[in-house]
Amino acid sequence: MGLRFLHCSDIHLLSLRGVGPHRFLNKRLTGGVNLMLKRGKHHDEALFDRMCEHARDRAVDRVVITGDLSNLALEQEFEHIRTKLRAIGVPVTVIPGNHDAYTRGSVRNRRFEQMLDEFMAGERSEGGDYPFVQRYGDVALVGVSTAQASLPMYAVGTVGPEQLERLDGVLERLGAEGLGRIVLIHHPVVPGVSKKRHDLLDIDAFGEVIARRGAELILHGHEHTLLEGTLAGPDSERPVPVHGISSGTNISQHEGRRAAFAIYQVSAASIERELHVWDGEDFRPQPGEAAA
Ligand SMILES: [Fe+2]
Ligand SMILES: [Fe+2]
């Protein structure tokens, strides 16, 4: 019973192969490409490849990626990402981040959903793609989207009232079934931890849904920093753990920002976590990491 999975986030895989110059007539994209080339110095795809080797070696059931797989949400990037994910050899679950909705066009075309749909298969409530639910024995992954196109220099997100209403119903139903509910969301959900202009705009409304319906664990990315906190749930004795993972490909050696992934062993009754952090050569397990 239960599910053993590797959680990572913000892999920002860089590929401009086959992107014609006409794409960059869009000023937004021109700025974005400059940013992305700078970013290319900070993110290394080799770390993602190494992480995938760990996933195979440690025989996880699944790899879970909480958004920002791309940089500019271009077709060519998503094609590259799809090829990489198919090659892992372990089933994958993804949700989008703000970079996966970089332009209004990519949102209008549902590019992320169209091109990576195989990694988001699951139950859906009437009225929208999100949240989707994937069940594994007594555990359910609940994939939420906060992705929206923001103004340049902004990286905000929104769940939106309609998705929040569906999420409320989903968490109530799965809770009544006694499943371990793992909510996947790109933006941090503990108030005050995001940098300015990086926020989840309806963070309070999200917190109200969790306070009403509960969840066993919430996983996020976005800040490229290791974060840990809790949200209030329906049982005041049992706050809901919230874990933010740093970028999976960041070569930074700044404490807290170094690349990392976590391996979770989850059932309806328990959650165990092992954190692995990049030390410049490999991902190493952190001593003393155990139950979440
Ligand atoms: Fe990111
Ligand atoms: Fe992000």
Side-chain angles (χ1 to χ4, degrees):
M1 283 297 258
L3 181 69
R4 180 173 163 78
F5 64 91
L6 182 152
H7 173 222
C8 65
S9 200
D10 297 78
I11 54 177
H12 291 290
L13 298 185
L14 184 68
S15 175
L16 286 175
R17 247 169 293 169
V19 180
H22 66 284
R23 293 309 313 262
F24 304 124
L25 295 177
N26 176 339
K27 265 194 186 154
R28 180 94 200 279
L29 282 182
T30 311
V33 167
N34 288 334
L35 266 181
M36 180 162 137
L37 292 175
K38 266 193 225 154
R39 193 182 271 271
K41 295 194 188 114
H42 303 290
H43 293 268
D44 186 345
E45 195 164 306
L47 272 65
F48 179 69
D49 294 337
R50 182 66 190 128
M51 190 155 57
C52 295
E53 281 174 19
H54 280 285
R56 287 188 292 269
D57 289 352
R58 287 158 199 277
V60 298
D61 302 319
R62 187 159 283 272
V63 170
V64 171
I65 311 177
T66 47
D68 279 4
L69 286 79
S70 70
N71 295 277
L72 301 175
L74 298 172
E75 299 95 304
Q76 290 80 359
E77 291 182 281
F78 288 143
E79 259 166 37
H80 176 61
I81 289 159
R82 186 168 59 191
T83 304
K84 298 284 290 186
L85 300 189
R86 283 178 179 166
I88 298 177
V90 172
V92 177
T93 299
V94 302
I95 57 162
N98 52 298
H99 277 269
D100 305 317
Y102 195 79
T103 59
R104 283 184 214 291
S106 67
V107 177
R108 200 170 43 241
N109 299 334
R110 297 175 66 253
R111 195 173 287 148
F112 184 89
E113 287 76 17
Q114 295 279 339
M115 295 186 68
L116 301 180
D117 64 332
E118 66 201 78
F119 309 111
M120 293 188 286
E123 297 162 28
R124 284 176 162 84
S125 316
E126 204 176 308
D129 291 324
Y130 305 97
F132 62 82
V133 177
Q134 298 180 337
R135 291 166 186 260
Y136 306 99
D138 60 354
V139 172
L141 299 179
V142 180
V144 172
S145 172
T146 57
Q148 65 179 72
S150 302
L151 292 167
M153 307 310 291
Y154 281 74
V156 294
T158 314
V159 183
E162 288 159 16
Q163 189 186 173
L164 281 170
E165 202 179 314
R166 293 193 292 271
L167 178 65
D168 187 289
V170 160
L171 291 177
E172 182 186 23
R173 203 171 60 242
L174 299 176
E177 290 180 43
L179 298 183
R181 299 159 297 176
I182 317 296
V183 176
L184 312 174
I185 185 165
H186 180 65
H187 285 76
V189 294
V190 174
V193 307
S194 275
K195 280 188 227 138
K196 261 191 189 168
R197 302 184 304 196
H198 278 216
D199 308 18
L200 181 63
L201 298 175
D202 46 4
I203 196 166
D204 292 340
F206 178 86
E208 282 164 25
V209 171
I210 298 300
R212 192 160 48 239
R213 303 303 182 197
E216 278 54 57
L217 177 64
I218 302 174
L219 299 178
H220 70 80
H222 187 55
E223 281 297 319
H224 298 198
T225 306
L226 286 168
L227 291 165
E228 222 166 301
T230 56
L231 281 184
D235 178 350
S236 60
E237 304 279 293
R238 283 198 326 147
V240 178
V242 180
H243 296 172
I245 195 85
S246 54
S247 157
T249 56
N250 194 347
I251 56 175
S252 163
Q253 280 298 303
H254 286 114
E255 203 50 45
R257 293 187 66 79
R258 293 188 287 162
F261 65 82
I263 293 181
Y264 287 89
Q265 176 72 51
V266 180
S267 70
S270 69
I271 296 168
E272 284 172 30
R273 177 182 65 171
E274 233 180 68
L275 187 62
H276 298 250
V277 177
W278 182 254
D279 70 356
E281 283 180 8
D282 202 351
F283 290 96
R284 314 274 183 205
Q286 295 304 289
E289 273 293 320

Short mmCIF file of all heavy atoms in Angstrom, two decimals, residues 33-65:
data_model
loop_
_atom_site.label_atom_id
_atom_site.label_comp_id
_atom_site.label_asym_id
_atom_site.label_seq_id
_atom_site.Cartn_x
_atom_site.Cartn_y
_atom_site.Cartn_z
N VAL A 33 14.09 35.56 -23.62
CA VAL A 33 15.23 34.77 -24.08
C VAL A 33 16.51 35.26 -23.40
O VAL A 33 17.35 34.45 -22.98
CB VAL A 33 15.36 34.84 -25.62
CG1 VAL A 33 16.71 34.30 -26.07
CG2 VAL A 33 14.25 34.05 -26.25
N ASN A 34 16.62 36.58 -23.27
CA ASN A 34 17.80 37.11 -22.57
C ASN A 34 17.87 36.57 -21.15
O ASN A 34 18.91 36.11 -20.69
CB ASN A 34 17.78 38.64 -22.55
CG ASN A 34 18.06 39.20 -23.92
OD1 ASN A 34 18.71 38.54 -24.72
ND2 ASN A 34 17.56 40.37 -24.20
N LEU A 35 16.74 36.64 -20.49
CA LEU A 35 16.68 36.14 -19.12
C LEU A 35 17.05 34.66 -19.07
O LEU A 35 17.78 34.21 -18.20
CB LEU A 35 15.25 36.26 -18.59
CG LEU A 35 14.89 37.50 -17.82
CD1 LEU A 35 13.44 37.41 -17.38
CD2 LEU A 35 15.79 37.64 -16.59
N MET A 36 16.53 33.95 -20.05
CA MET A 36 16.70 32.50 -20.06
C MET A 36 18.17 32.13 -20.29
O MET A 36 18.68 31.18 -19.70
CB MET A 36 15.84 31.96 -21.18
CG MET A 36 15.88 30.51 -21.37
SD MET A 36 14.43 30.09 -22.34
CE MET A 36 15.16 28.94 -23.45
N LEU A 37 18.84 32.92 -21.15
CA LEU A 37 20.25 32.62 -21.41
C LEU A 37 21.07 32.86 -20.15
O LEU A 37 21.97 32.09 -19.82
CB LEU A 37 20.78 33.44 -22.59
CG LEU A 37 20.14 33.03 -23.92
CD1 LEU A 37 20.59 33.95 -25.05
CD2 LEU A 37 20.42 31.58 -24.28
N LYS A 38 20.70 33.92 -19.42
CA LYS A 38 21.36 34.16 -18.13
C LYS A 38 21.09 32.99 -17.19
O LYS A 38 21.96 32.48 -16.51
CB LYS A 38 20.78 35.42 -17.48
CG LYS A 38 21.59 36.66 -17.78
CD LYS A 38 21.15 37.79 -16.86
CE LYS A 38 20.97 39.06 -17.65
NZ LYS A 38 20.02 39.98 -17.05
N ARG A 39 19.83 32.60 -17.18
CA ARG A 39 19.39 31.51 -16.33
C ARG A 39 20.14 30.21 -16.67
O ARG A 39 20.39 29.38 -15.81
CB ARG A 39 17.90 31.30 -16.58
CG ARG A 39 17.20 30.44 -15.60
CD ARG A 39 15.77 30.35 -16.06
NE ARG A 39 14.96 31.40 -15.52
CZ ARG A 39 14.33 31.28 -14.35
NH1 ARG A 39 14.46 30.20 -13.64
NH2 ARG A 39 13.59 32.25 -13.91
N GLY A 40 20.48 30.09 -17.97
CA GLY A 40 21.20 28.89 -18.42
C GLY A 40 22.51 28.69 -17.68
O GLY A 40 23.02 27.58 -17.59
N LYS A 41 23.04 29.79 -17.13
CA LYS A 41 24.29 29.67 -16.37
C LYS A 41 24.03 29.11 -14.97
O LYS A 41 24.94 28.68 -14.29
CB LYS A 41 24.95 31.04 -16.22
CG LYS A 41 25.40 31.62 -17.53
CD LYS A 41 26.34 32.79 -17.28
CE LYS A 41 26.64 33.50 -18.58
NZ LYS A 41 26.12 34.86 -18.64
N HIS A 42 22.80 29.20 -14.53
CA HIS A 42 22.48 28.79 -13.16
C HIS A 42 21.82 27.42 -13.06
O HIS A 42 21.78 26.83 -12.00
CB HIS A 42 21.56 29.82 -12.50
CG HIS A 42 22.14 31.20 -12.50
ND1 HIS A 42 23.21 31.52 -11.70
CD2 HIS A 42 21.83 32.30 -13.20
CE1 HIS A 42 23.52 32.78 -11.92
NE2 HIS A 42 22.71 33.28 -12.82
N HIS A 43 21.25 26.98 -14.18
CA HIS A 43 20.55 25.69 -14.17
C HIS A 43 21.26 24.73 -15.12
O HIS A 43 21.58 25.12 -16.24
CB HIS A 43 19.10 25.86 -14.60
CG HIS A 43 18.29 26.65 -13.62
ND1 HIS A 43 17.58 26.06 -12.61
CD2 HIS A 43 18.12 27.98 -13.48
CE1 HIS A 43 17.00 27.00 -11.89
NE2 HIS A 43 17.31 28.18 -12.40
N ASP A 44 21.47 23.51 -14.66
CA ASP A 44 22.20 22.55 -15.48
C ASP A 44 21.36 21.27 -15.62
O ASP A 44 21.02 20.63 -14.63
CB ASP A 44 23.54 22.23 -14.79
CG ASP A 44 24.43 21.35 -15.64
OD1 ASP A 44 23.91 20.76 -16.63
OD2 ASP A 44 25.62 21.24 -15.32
N GLU A 45 21.06 20.97 -16.89
CA GLU A 45 20.22 19.81 -17.17
C GLU A 45 20.86 18.50 -16.68
O GLU A 45 20.16 17.52 -16.42
CB GLU A 45 19.99 19.75 -18.68
CG GLU A 45 18.88 18.84 -19.08
CD GLU A 45 18.42 19.09 -20.51
OE1 GLU A 45 18.08 20.24 -20.85
OE2 GLU A 45 18.40 18.13 -21.28
N ALA A 46 22.19 18.50 -16.56
CA ALA A 46 22.88 17.29 -16.09
C ALA A 46 22.41 16.91 -14.68
O ALA A 46 22.40 15.72 -14.32
CB ALA A 46 24.39 17.51 -16.09
N LEU A 47 22.00 17.91 -13.89
CA LEU A 47 21.51 17.60 -12.54
C LEU A 47 20.17 16.86 -12.62
O LEU A 47 19.89 15.96 -11.83
CB LEU A 47 21.34 18.88 -11.70
CG LEU A 47 22.59 19.33 -10.93
CD1 LEU A 47 23.71 19.72 -11.87
CD2 LEU A 47 22.25 20.47 -9.98
N PHE A 48 19.37 17.27 -13.60
CA PHE A 48 18.09 16.57 -13.78
C PHE A 48 18.36 15.11 -14.17
O PHE A 48 17.72 14.19 -13.66
CB PHE A 48 17.24 17.27 -14.84
CG PHE A 48 15.93 16.58 -15.08
CD1 PHE A 48 14.94 16.59 -14.10
CD2 PHE A 48 15.68 15.90 -16.26
CE1 PHE A 48 13.73 15.94 -14.29
CE2 PHE A 48 14.47 15.25 -16.46
CZ PHE A 48 13.50 15.27 -15.48
N ASP A 49 19.32 14.92 -15.08
CA ASP A 49 19.64 13.55 -15.51
C ASP A 49 20.12 12.71 -14.32
O ASP A 49 19.74 11.55 -14.18
CB ASP A 49 20.72 13.58 -16.60
CG ASP A 49 20.20 14.24 -17.87
OD1 ASP A 49 18.97 14.26 -18.08
OD2 ASP A 49 21.03 14.76 -18.65
N ARG A 50 20.93 13.31 -13.47
CA ARG A 50 21.44 12.59 -12.30
C ARG A 50 20.29 12.24 -11.34
O ARG A 50 20.23 11.14 -10.78
CB ARG A 50 22.50 13.45 -11.59
CG ARG A 50 23.14 12.81 -10.40
CD ARG A 50 23.98 11.58 -10.80
NE ARG A 50 24.42 10.84 -9.64
CZ ARG A 50 24.23 9.52 -9.48
NH1 ARG A 50 23.64 8.80 -10.42
NH2 ARG A 50 24.66 8.91 -8.40
N MET A 51 19.38 13.20 -11.18
CA MET A 51 18.22 12.98 -10.31
C MET A 51 17.39 11.80 -10.83
O MET A 51 16.91 10.97 -10.05
CB MET A 51 17.40 14.27 -10.33
CG MET A 51 16.30 14.34 -9.36
SD MET A 51 15.95 16.07 -8.99
CE MET A 51 15.58 16.75 -10.56
N CYS A 52 17.26 11.71 -12.15
CA CYS A 52 16.49 10.61 -12.74
C CYS A 52 17.19 9.28 -12.49
O CYS A 52 16.52 8.25 -12.28
CB CYS A 52 16.28 10.84 -14.24
SG CYS A 52 15.25 12.29 -14.55
N GLU A 53 18.52 9.27 -12.49
CA GLU A 53 19.25 8.04 -12.16
C GLU A 53 18.94 7.62 -10.73
O GLU A 53 18.73 6.45 -10.45
CB GLU A 53 20.76 8.25 -12.31
CG GLU A 53 21.24 8.20 -13.74
CD GLU A 53 22.73 8.57 -13.87
OE1 GLU A 53 23.47 8.51 -12.85
OE2 GLU A 53 23.12 8.95 -14.97
N HIS A 54 18.91 8.60 -9.82
CA HIS A 54 18.56 8.29 -8.42
C HIS A 54 17.14 7.70 -8.35
O HIS A 54 16.90 6.77 -7.58
CB HIS A 54 18.64 9.54 -7.54
CG HIS A 54 20.03 9.89 -7.12
ND1 HIS A 54 20.69 9.19 -6.14
CD2 HIS A 54 20.88 10.86 -7.53
CE1 HIS A 54 21.90 9.72 -5.96
NE2 HIS A 54 22.04 10.73 -6.80
N ALA A 55 16.23 8.26 -9.13
CA ALA A 55 14.84 7.77 -9.12
C ALA A 55 14.81 6.30 -9.52
O ALA A 55 14.12 5.49 -8.91
CB ALA A 55 13.98 8.61 -10.06
N ARG A 56 15.59 5.97 -10.54
CA ARG A 56 15.63 4.56 -11.00
C ARG A 56 16.33 3.69 -9.97
O ARG A 56 15.82 2.63 -9.59
CB ARG A 56 16.35 4.47 -12.35
CG ARG A 56 15.53 5.00 -13.52
CD ARG A 56 16.20 4.71 -14.84
NE ARG A 56 17.44 5.45 -15.01
CZ ARG A 56 17.53 6.65 -15.59
NH1 ARG A 56 16.44 7.24 -16.07
NH2 ARG A 56 18.68 7.26 -15.72
N ASP A 57 17.49 4.15 -9.47
CA ASP A 57 18.27 3.33 -8.52
C ASP A 57 17.47 3.06 -7.25
O ASP A 57 17.60 2.01 -6.64
CB ASP A 57 19.54 4.07 -8.10
CG ASP A 57 20.54 4.13 -9.24
OD1 ASP A 57 20.30 3.47 -10.27
OD2 ASP A 57 21.55 4.85 -9.10
N ARG A 58 16.70 4.06 -6.83
CA ARG A 58 15.97 3.91 -5.58
C ARG A 58 14.59 3.34 -5.79
O ARG A 58 13.77 3.30 -4.86
CB ARG A 58 15.88 5.28 -4.87
CG ARG A 58 17.21 5.67 -4.30
CD ARG A 58 17.35 7.15 -4.09
NE ARG A 58 18.75 7.49 -3.98
CZ ARG A 58 19.48 7.38 -2.88
NH1 ARG A 58 18.91 6.95 -1.78
NH2 ARG A 58 20.75 7.68 -2.88
N ALA A 59 14.32 2.92 -7.03
CA ALA A 59 13.09 2.21 -7.36
C ALA A 59 11.84 2.93 -6.84
O ALA A 59 10.99 2.32 -6.19
CB ALA A 59 13.15 0.78 -6.82
N VAL A 60 11.75 4.23 -7.12
CA VAL A 60 10.52 4.94 -6.74
C VAL A 60 9.41 4.54 -7.71
O VAL A 60 9.66 4.09 -8.83
CB VAL A 60 10.71 6.48 -6.74
CG1 VAL A 60 11.76 6.91 -5.73
CG2 VAL A 60 11.05 7.01 -8.13
N ASP A 61 8.17 4.70 -7.26
CA ASP A 61 7.02 4.37 -8.11
C ASP A 61 6.77 5.47 -9.13
O ASP A 61 6.13 5.24 -10.16
CB ASP A 61 5.74 4.25 -7.26
CG ASP A 61 5.88 3.19 -6.18
OD1 ASP A 61 6.46 2.14 -6.47
OD2 ASP A 61 5.42 3.44 -5.03
N ARG A 62 7.23 6.70 -8.80
CA ARG A 62 6.80 7.85 -9.59
C ARG A 62 7.71 9.04 -9.33
O ARG A 62 8.27 9.15 -8.24
CB ARG A 62 5.35 8.17 -9.15
CG ARG A 62 4.61 9.21 -9.92
CD ARG A 62 3.12 9.07 -9.74
NE ARG A 62 2.62 7.96 -10.55
CZ ARG A 62 2.23 8.08 -11.82
NH1 ARG A 62 2.23 9.25 -12.42
NH2 ARG A 62 1.82 7.04 -12.50
N VAL A 63 7.86 9.89 -10.34
CA VAL A 63 8.54 11.18 -10.18
C VAL A 63 7.46 12.26 -10.27
O VAL A 63 6.64 12.25 -11.19
CB VAL A 63 9.61 11.38 -11.28
CG1 VAL A 63 10.15 12.80 -11.27
CG2 VAL A 63 10.75 10.37 -11.10
N VAL A 64 7.45 13.18 -9.31
CA VAL A 64 6.44 14.24 -9.26
C VAL A 64 7.15 15.59 -9.41
O VAL A 64 8.06 15.90 -8.64
CB VAL A 64 5.69 14.19 -7.90
CG1 VAL A 64 4.79 15.40 -7.73
CG2 VAL A 64 4.89 12.90 -7.78
N ILE A 65 6.73 16.39 -10.39
CA ILE A 65 7.40 17.67 -10.67
C ILE A 65 6.38 18.80 -10.52
O ILE A 65 5.40 18.85 -11.27
CB ILE A 65 8.02 17.69 -12.08
CG1 ILE A 65 8.85 16.42 -12.32
CG2 ILE A 65 8.87 18.95 -12.28
CD1 ILE A 65 9.43 16.31 -13.73
#
